[in-house]
Amino acid sequence: MKHLLPKLIFILPFFILVGCKKNETTEIAKTEIAKNTIEYASGLSIVKNKGYSVVTVSDPWPNANAKFTYVLKEKDAKVPDSLQKYTTIKVPLESVVVTSTTNIPFLEMLEVEDKLVGFPHTDYVSSEKTRALIDKGAVKNVGENEKLNIEQLIELSPDLIVIFGVDNNNAALDNLKKSGLNVFIQADWMEQSPLGKAEWIKLYGALFGKEDKAKELFDKIVLSYDQAKKLVADQPASSTVLYGSMYEDVWYVAKGNSWVAQFMKDAHANYLWADLKGTGSEGLSFEKILVKGKTANFWIASGSFKTLAEVEKANPHYSQFDAFKNKNVYTFEGKYGATGGTVYYELAPSRPDLVLKDYIKIFHPELLPSYEFTFASKLN
């Protein structure tokens, strides 16, 4: 996954039960239904039992032909024989390597960032707190996601390496397992629901023995998100919105069931491609975009533009849009960390309430008169 590209877009919640054969007691399945602590995330299940938790990641990547089940075992806990076939991880963790910037805020929110010992391509990290750990050598650069430095990881010997997959071919996962390293496949990036994506903080709560703290933090985010939605509940979705920009010769728009489209819906804006079924994005020609988006009130541009002059320089045809002429162009990708990491890609998945407030500030500024953007920037 490229941390500087917003191409990973996400899906709907449902419960996943640990697979049990008939001769493996139905007790586990019943427990899972009763105690699953996940409410919004579609691809994650955490079932809390005495001394251990059963975690299932059911949608690890698009069109996955596998799901992953893990047992998080506390010291001296007894785990049923029926669960012995699954990967066991001793918790709470004392050291961890994560491989996506979206994981960094979860560690910091739970105040366990000091347990992070490695990260691939550390320049992508934008958080000042974790950057300080990197700068003093506490967090090592362990290569790149596509080619992790196995030797260095063996030397670090973390309690767990949290990785992600993009398809059914996972050479990195196989190599890590062959090296005897403990690996966890996570998939927060696959979630389409803003709150579902943020709920993955509960996984890190379970890994570090901070379940109560994770729930408390997530509940506050849910409350904040719901309060923001109530602000616009009686507002008409009258503002028409163009989204995206050209990448080479193609303009990619977010589909109607995507993470991005959900924010605009919750902010009561009329996203022009809201009726485009599916998740992820779809590539269209500039001509089709111009026909539908020329008179849009607002343009949420993808890309790290700083000014309208930069936008026009990138493609002179952009100036044909009314949103450009009226100076109603915004980007969420213009704020960076000290070494070039994009703040939005790192923090937005864990703080959807702040993303939603940014959108509301754009489309209904009178409702949040004193609010300042967290991620968005208006181009002038």
Side-chain angles (χ1 to χ4, degrees), residues 240-244 251 253 271-273 289 293 296 298-301 321 323:
T240 51
V241 187
L242 168 67
Y243 176 85
W251 186 302
V253 296
Y271 173 47
L272 293 176
W273 281 269
I289 297 293
F298 295 91
W299 176 13
I300 309 299
F321 294 107

Side-chain angles (χ1 to χ4, degrees), residues 62-125:
N63 303 313
N65 56 19
K67 64 180 180 180
F68 297 88
T69 299
Y70 306 89
V71 177
L72 310 188
K73 179 181 177 294
E74 298 170 20
K75 186 177 180 180
D76 299 327
K78 293 184 178 180
V79 177
D81 291 342
S82 58
L83 298 178
Q84 297 297 330
K85 63 182 179 179
Y86 299 119
T87 299
T88 298
I89 301 167
K90 295 179 180 179
V91 294
L93 301 179
E94 290 299 326
S95 61
V96 69
V97 169
V98 300
T99 56
S100 171
T101 56
T102 60
N103 308 148
I104 301 296
F106 292 145
L107 300 179
E108 293 187 354
M109 291 162 71
L110 294 169
E111 300 179 322
V112 292
E113 69 276 359
D114 61 323
K115 307 296 185 184
L116 181 66
V117 296
F119 187 87
H121 209 316
T122 51
D123 284 351
Y124 285 135
V125 177

Side-chain angles (χ1 to χ4, degrees), residues 40 195 221-231 353 356:
Y40 297 87
L195 291 175
I221 291 169
V222 173
L223 178 61
S224 178
Y225 196 93
D226 288 345
Q227 288 174 337
K229 285 179 67 175
K230 287 178 183 177
L231 281 177
D353 55 323
L356 179 58

Side-chain angles (χ1 to χ4, degrees), residues 14-208:
F14 62 93
F15 288 113
I16 298 297
L17 305 180
V18 176
C20 297
K21 297 178 182 178
K22 288 185 178 180
N23 63 342
E24 294 176 343
T25 72
T26 59
E27 179 183 352
I28 296 167
K30 291 178 180 178
T31 301
E32 195 165 359
I33 294 173
K35 296 186 178 181
N36 184 10
T37 62
I38 300 301
E39 302 174 67
Y40 297 87
S42 65
L44 177 66
S45 170
I46 302 178
V47 181
K48 181 67 176 176
N49 295 279
K50 184 177 180 181
Y52 68 94
S53 296
V54 179
V55 179
T56 302
V57 178
S58 56
D59 288 298
W61 51 78
N63 303 313
N65 56 19
K67 64 180 180 180
F68 297 88
T69 299
Y70 306 89
V71 177
L72 310 188
K73 179 181 177 294
E74 298 170 20
K75 186 177 180 180
D76 299 327
K78 293 184 178 180
V79 177
D81 291 342
S82 58
L83 298 178
Q84 297 297 330
K85 63 182 179 179
Y86 299 119
T87 299
T88 298
I89 301 167
K90 295 179 180 179
V91 294
L93 301 179
E94 290 299 326
S95 61
V96 69
V97 169
V98 300
T99 56
S100 171
T101 56
T102 60
N103 308 148
I104 301 296
F106 292 145
L107 300 179
E108 293 187 354
M109 291 162 71
L110 294 169
E111 300 179 322
V112 292
E113 69 276 359
D114 61 323
K115 307 296 185 184
L116 181 66
V117 296
F119 187 87
H121 209 316
T122 51
D123 284 351
Y124 285 135
V125 177
S126 62
S127 165
E128 292 183 5
K129 188 181 291 187
T130 300
R131 284 235 58 84
L133 294 172
I134 294 169
D135 292 343
K136 74 176 186 179
V139 179
K140 305 297 184 183
N141 191 327
V142 294
E144 299 180 4
N145 278 317
E146 297 82 0
K147 193 174 182 181
L148 294 171
N149 188 325
I150 303 295
E151 292 77 14
Q152 189 175 25
L153 289 170
I154 292 172
E155 184 178 345
L156 286 173
S157 189
D159 289 345
L160 189 66
I161 303 171
V162 182
I163 68 171
F164 57 89
V166 295
D167 56 35
N168 289 308
N169 300 310
N170 284 290
L173 174 61
D174 295 338
N175 290 336
L176 289 169
K177 286 185 174 180
K178 287 177 183 177
S179 301
L181 295 163
N182 292 323
V183 184
F184 189 106
I185 286 274
Q186 65 113 54
D188 60 332
W189 65 280
M190 282 287 290
E191 299 290 341
Q192 297 300 325
S193 157
L195 291 175
K197 193 181 292 291
E199 194 171 20
W200 281 71
I201 190 175
K202 291 182 179 178
L203 168 63
Y204 290 88
L207 289 172
F208 289 96

